[in-house]
Short mmCIF file of all heavy atoms in Angstrom, two decimals:
data_model
loop_
_atom_site.label_atom_id
_atom_site.label_comp_id
_atom_site.label_asym_id
_atom_site.label_seq_id
_atom_site.Cartn_x
_atom_site.Cartn_y
_atom_site.Cartn_z
N GLY A 110 27.11 55.46 8.02
CA GLY A 110 26.47 54.83 9.18
C GLY A 110 25.08 55.40 9.42
O GLY A 110 24.71 55.72 10.55
N GLY A 111 24.30 55.49 8.35
CA GLY A 111 22.97 56.11 8.46
C GLY A 111 21.85 55.12 8.76
O GLY A 111 20.68 55.50 8.84
N SER A 112 22.19 53.86 8.91
CA SER A 112 21.13 52.85 9.09
C SER A 112 20.56 52.80 10.51
O SER A 112 19.46 52.29 10.71
CB SER A 112 21.65 51.47 8.70
OG SER A 112 22.88 51.19 9.33
N ARG A 113 21.34 53.30 11.47
CA ARG A 113 20.88 53.18 12.86
C ARG A 113 21.35 54.39 13.68
O ARG A 113 22.18 55.17 13.21
CB ARG A 113 21.44 51.90 13.51
CG ARG A 113 20.86 50.63 12.96
CD ARG A 113 21.41 49.41 13.65
NE ARG A 113 22.77 49.09 13.25
CZ ARG A 113 23.79 48.91 14.09
NH1 ARG A 113 23.61 49.03 15.38
NH2 ARG A 113 24.99 48.61 13.63
N GLY A 114 20.85 54.48 14.91
CA GLY A 114 21.39 55.39 15.92
C GLY A 114 21.49 56.85 15.50
O GLY A 114 20.57 57.43 14.91
N ILE A 115 22.62 57.44 15.81
CA ILE A 115 22.84 58.87 15.55
C ILE A 115 22.76 59.16 14.05
O ILE A 115 22.17 60.15 13.62
CB ILE A 115 24.21 59.29 16.13
CG1 ILE A 115 24.18 59.20 17.67
CG2 ILE A 115 24.59 60.70 15.69
CD1 ILE A 115 25.55 59.38 18.35
N GLY A 116 23.34 58.28 13.24
CA GLY A 116 23.34 58.48 11.78
C GLY A 116 21.94 58.55 11.22
O GLY A 116 21.64 59.38 10.36
N ASN A 133 24.51 55.72 3.85
CA ASN A 133 25.51 54.64 3.83
C ASN A 133 25.29 53.71 5.02
O ASN A 133 24.84 54.12 6.09
CB ASN A 133 26.93 55.23 3.88
CG ASN A 133 27.93 54.20 4.36
OD1 ASN A 133 28.36 54.23 5.52
ND2 ASN A 133 28.30 53.26 3.52
N TYR A 134 25.62 52.44 4.82
CA TYR A 134 25.59 51.46 5.91
C TYR A 134 26.53 50.33 5.54
O TYR A 134 26.99 50.22 4.40
CB TYR A 134 24.17 50.94 6.14
CG TYR A 134 23.64 50.10 5.00
CD1 TYR A 134 23.55 48.71 5.12
CD2 TYR A 134 23.26 50.68 3.79
CE1 TYR A 134 23.10 47.93 4.07
CE2 TYR A 134 22.80 49.91 2.75
CZ TYR A 134 22.72 48.54 2.89
OH TYR A 134 22.29 47.77 1.84
N LYS A 135 26.80 49.47 6.54
CA LYS A 135 27.74 48.38 6.28
C LYS A 135 27.03 47.08 5.90
O LYS A 135 27.32 46.49 4.87
CB LYS A 135 28.61 48.15 7.51
CG LYS A 135 29.68 47.10 7.30
CD LYS A 135 30.50 46.88 8.56
CE LYS A 135 31.53 45.79 8.35
NZ LYS A 135 32.23 45.47 9.59
N SER A 136 26.08 46.64 6.73
CA SER A 136 25.48 45.33 6.47
C SER A 136 23.99 45.25 6.75
O SER A 136 23.33 44.31 6.30
CB SER A 136 26.21 44.26 7.30
OG SER A 136 26.21 44.65 8.65
N ASN A 137 23.45 46.24 7.46
CA ASN A 137 22.08 46.13 7.95
C ASN A 137 21.08 46.74 6.95
O ASN A 137 20.53 47.82 7.17
CB ASN A 137 22.02 46.89 9.28
CG ASN A 137 21.15 46.21 10.27
OD1 ASN A 137 20.15 45.61 9.90
ND2 ASN A 137 21.52 46.30 11.54
N PHE A 160 28.48 50.27 1.65
CA PHE A 160 29.92 49.99 1.57
C PHE A 160 30.52 50.07 2.97
O PHE A 160 29.99 50.75 3.85
CB PHE A 160 30.66 50.92 0.60
CG PHE A 160 30.58 52.39 0.89
CD1 PHE A 160 31.44 53.00 1.81
CD2 PHE A 160 29.67 53.21 0.23
CE1 PHE A 160 31.39 54.36 2.06
CE2 PHE A 160 29.60 54.58 0.48
CZ PHE A 160 30.47 55.16 1.39
N ASP A 161 31.61 49.35 3.14
CA ASP A 161 32.32 49.34 4.42
C ASP A 161 33.28 50.53 4.41
O ASP A 161 34.24 50.55 3.63
CB ASP A 161 33.07 48.01 4.55
CG ASP A 161 33.87 47.92 5.84
OD1 ASP A 161 34.02 48.93 6.54
OD2 ASP A 161 34.36 46.81 6.13
N VAL A 162 33.04 51.50 5.27
CA VAL A 162 33.85 52.73 5.25
C VAL A 162 35.32 52.46 5.57
O VAL A 162 36.20 53.27 5.26
CB VAL A 162 33.32 53.81 6.23
CG1 VAL A 162 31.92 54.26 5.86
CG2 VAL A 162 33.37 53.33 7.68
N ALA A 163 35.57 51.31 6.21
CA ALA A 163 36.95 50.96 6.60
C ALA A 163 37.73 50.31 5.46
O ALA A 163 38.93 50.07 5.58
CB ALA A 163 36.91 50.01 7.79
N ASN A 190 29.96 59.78 10.03
CA ASN A 190 29.38 59.36 11.32
C ASN A 190 29.68 57.91 11.68
O ASN A 190 29.75 57.58 12.87
CB ASN A 190 27.85 59.57 11.25
CG ASN A 190 27.12 58.80 12.33
OD1 ASN A 190 27.09 59.21 13.49
ND2 ASN A 190 26.54 57.65 11.96
N ALA A 191 29.89 57.05 10.69
CA ALA A 191 30.06 55.61 10.98
C ALA A 191 31.21 55.42 11.97
O ALA A 191 32.27 56.03 11.84
CB ALA A 191 30.33 54.83 9.70
N GLY A 192 30.97 54.56 12.95
CA GLY A 192 32.02 54.30 13.93
C GLY A 192 31.70 53.06 14.74
O GLY A 192 30.53 52.66 14.82
N VAL A 193 32.73 52.47 15.26
CA VAL A 193 32.53 51.30 16.14
C VAL A 193 33.46 51.46 17.34
O VAL A 193 34.46 52.17 17.28
CB VAL A 193 32.91 49.97 15.44
CG1 VAL A 193 31.84 49.56 14.44
CG2 VAL A 193 34.28 50.04 14.79
N THR A 213 37.86 52.14 10.88
CA THR A 213 36.45 52.55 10.75
C THR A 213 36.26 54.03 11.05
O THR A 213 35.49 54.71 10.37
CB THR A 213 35.54 51.71 11.68
OG1 THR A 213 35.79 50.33 11.43
CG2 THR A 213 34.08 52.00 11.44
N SER A 214 36.94 54.55 12.04
CA SER A 214 36.69 55.95 12.41
C SER A 214 37.67 56.94 11.79
O SER A 214 37.28 58.04 11.44
CB SER A 214 36.74 56.13 13.93
OG SER A 214 35.51 55.79 14.49
N VAL A 240 31.60 63.11 13.19
CA VAL A 240 31.09 62.72 14.51
C VAL A 240 32.24 62.06 15.26
O VAL A 240 32.69 60.97 14.90
CB VAL A 240 29.88 61.78 14.39
CG1 VAL A 240 29.36 61.41 15.78
CG2 VAL A 240 28.77 62.45 13.58
N VAL A 241 32.74 62.76 16.26
CA VAL A 241 33.85 62.23 17.06
C VAL A 241 33.29 61.79 18.42
O VAL A 241 32.23 61.17 18.47
CB VAL A 241 35.02 63.22 17.13
CG1 VAL A 241 35.62 63.38 15.73
CG2 VAL A 241 34.65 64.57 17.72
N SER A 242 33.95 62.10 19.49
CA SER A 242 33.48 61.61 20.79
C SER A 242 34.20 62.34 21.92
O SER A 242 35.33 62.80 21.77
CB SER A 242 33.77 60.12 20.91
OG SER A 242 33.54 59.67 22.22
N LEU A 243 33.54 62.35 23.06
CA LEU A 243 34.18 62.81 24.30
C LEU A 243 35.51 62.06 24.50
O LEU A 243 36.51 62.66 24.94
CB LEU A 243 33.23 62.51 25.47
CG LEU A 243 33.73 62.79 26.87
CD1 LEU A 243 33.91 64.28 27.10
CD2 LEU A 243 32.75 62.23 27.90
N TYR A 255 39.87 53.67 20.35
CA TYR A 255 38.76 54.57 20.01
C TYR A 255 39.15 56.04 20.27
O TYR A 255 38.88 56.92 19.45
CB TYR A 255 37.55 54.16 20.85
CG TYR A 255 36.25 54.85 20.57
CD1 TYR A 255 35.47 54.50 19.47
CD2 TYR A 255 35.76 55.84 21.43
CE1 TYR A 255 34.26 55.12 19.24
CE2 TYR A 255 34.56 56.46 21.20
CZ TYR A 255 33.80 56.10 20.11
OH TYR A 255 32.59 56.73 19.89
N LYS A 259 39.35 58.92 17.33
CA LYS A 259 38.53 60.13 17.38
C LYS A 259 39.41 61.38 17.52
O LYS A 259 39.11 62.42 16.92
CB LYS A 259 37.52 60.05 18.53
CG LYS A 259 36.50 58.91 18.38
CD LYS A 259 35.64 59.09 17.13
CE LYS A 259 34.43 58.16 17.14
NZ LYS A 259 33.63 58.29 15.91
N PRO A 285 29.85 63.79 20.86
CA PRO A 285 28.82 63.36 21.81
C PRO A 285 29.43 62.73 23.05
O PRO A 285 30.53 62.16 23.01
CB PRO A 285 28.01 62.31 21.02
CG PRO A 285 28.39 62.48 19.59
CD PRO A 285 29.81 63.01 19.61
N GLY A 286 28.67 62.82 24.15
CA GLY A 286 29.01 62.06 25.36
C GLY A 286 28.29 60.73 25.30
O GLY A 286 28.50 59.96 24.36
N PHE A 287 27.41 60.47 26.27
CA PHE A 287 26.64 59.21 26.25
C PHE A 287 25.30 59.43 25.56
O PHE A 287 24.47 60.20 26.04
CB PHE A 287 26.41 58.71 27.68
CG PHE A 287 27.67 58.28 28.38
CD1 PHE A 287 28.25 59.07 29.36
CD2 PHE A 287 28.28 57.08 28.03
CE1 PHE A 287 29.42 58.67 30.00
CE2 PHE A 287 29.45 56.67 28.67
CZ PHE A 287 30.03 57.47 29.65
N ILE A 288 25.10 58.75 24.45
CA ILE A 288 23.86 58.88 23.68
C ILE A 288 23.20 57.50 23.60
O ILE A 288 23.88 56.49 23.38
CB ILE A 288 24.16 59.39 22.25
CG1 ILE A 288 25.03 60.67 22.27
CG2 ILE A 288 22.86 59.61 21.47
CD1 ILE A 288 24.44 61.88 22.95
N THR A 290 21.94 54.64 22.06
CA THR A 290 21.90 53.92 20.77
C THR A 290 22.34 52.48 21.05
O THR A 290 22.69 52.14 22.18
CB THR A 290 22.89 54.52 19.74
OG1 THR A 290 24.22 54.27 20.22
CG2 THR A 290 22.70 56.00 19.53
N ASP A 291 22.41 51.69 19.99
CA ASP A 291 22.90 50.30 20.14
C ASP A 291 24.30 50.29 20.74
O ASP A 291 24.67 49.38 21.46
CB ASP A 291 22.94 49.59 18.78
CG ASP A 291 21.55 49.39 18.22
OD1 ASP A 291 20.57 49.54 18.99
OD2 ASP A 291 21.43 49.11 17.01
N MET A 292 25.10 51.33 20.42
CA MET A 292 26.49 51.35 20.88
C MET A 292 26.61 51.43 22.40
O MET A 292 27.57 50.93 22.99
CB MET A 292 27.22 52.55 20.25
CG MET A 292 28.71 52.53 20.48
SD MET A 292 29.55 53.92 19.71
CE MET A 292 30.00 53.24 18.13
N THR A 293 25.63 52.05 23.03
CA THR A 293 25.71 52.23 24.50
C THR A 293 24.74 51.30 25.24
O THR A 293 24.52 51.47 26.43
CB THR A 293 25.39 53.70 24.87
OG1 THR A 293 24.17 54.07 24.23
CG2 THR A 293 26.49 54.64 24.46
P1 NAP B 669 25.41 52.53 16.31
O1 NAP B 669 24.02 52.71 16.85
O2 NAP B 669 26.21 51.35 16.72
O3 NAP B 669 25.31 52.59 14.71
C1 NAP B 669 26.47 52.47 13.96
C2 NAP B 669 26.20 52.83 12.53
O4 NAP B 669 27.44 52.84 11.83
C3 NAP B 669 25.31 51.82 11.84
O5 NAP B 669 24.53 52.51 10.88
C4 NAP B 669 26.33 50.90 11.15
O6 NAP B 669 25.85 50.23 9.98
C5 NAP B 669 27.39 51.91 10.77
N1 NAP B 669 28.71 51.31 10.58
C6 NAP B 669 29.50 50.71 11.49
N2 NAP B 669 30.64 50.29 10.93
C7 NAP B 669 30.56 50.63 9.61
C8 NAP B 669 31.41 50.45 8.50
N3 NAP B 669 32.59 49.84 8.62
N4 NAP B 669 31.00 50.90 7.29
C9 NAP B 669 29.80 51.53 7.15
N5 NAP B 669 28.96 51.73 8.17
C10 NAP B 669 29.33 51.28 9.39
O7 NAP B 669 26.33 53.78 16.66
P2 NAP B 669 25.96 55.25 17.17
O8 NAP B 669 25.91 55.22 18.64
O9 NAP B 669 24.82 55.80 16.40
O10 NAP B 669 27.31 56.00 16.78
C11 NAP B 669 27.43 56.84 15.64
C12 NAP B 669 28.71 57.63 15.78
O11 NAP B 669 28.68 58.40 16.97
C13 NAP B 669 29.98 56.77 15.86
O12 NAP B 669 31.02 57.37 15.15
C14 NAP B 669 30.28 56.76 17.35
O13 NAP B 669 31.65 56.53 17.57
C15 NAP B 669 29.85 58.15 17.73
N6 NAP B 669 29.56 58.32 19.14
C16 NAP B 669 28.53 57.64 19.74
C17 NAP B 669 28.29 57.85 21.09
C18 NAP B 669 27.16 57.14 21.82
O14 NAP B 669 27.07 57.33 23.05
N7 NAP B 669 26.30 56.40 21.17
C19 NAP B 669 29.09 58.72 21.83
C20 NAP B 669 30.11 59.38 21.19
C21 NAP B 669 30.33 59.19 19.85
P3 NAP B 669 25.09 48.79 10.05
O15 NAP B 669 23.72 49.08 10.59
O16 NAP B 669 25.09 48.29 8.65
O17 NAP B 669 25.87 47.95 11.00
#
Side-chain angles (χ1 to χ4, degrees):
S112 50
R113 290 182 285 127
I115 294 171
N133 159 258
Y134 68 105
K135 184 182 178 186
S136 53
N137 218 325
F160 60 83
D161 179 349
V162 298
N190 163 77
V193 285
T213 307
S214 276
V240 181
V241 294
S242 169
L243 175 67
Y255 186 78
K259 296 298 193 183
F287 293 106
I288 308 298
T290 68
D291 294 345
M292 189 179 268
T293 50

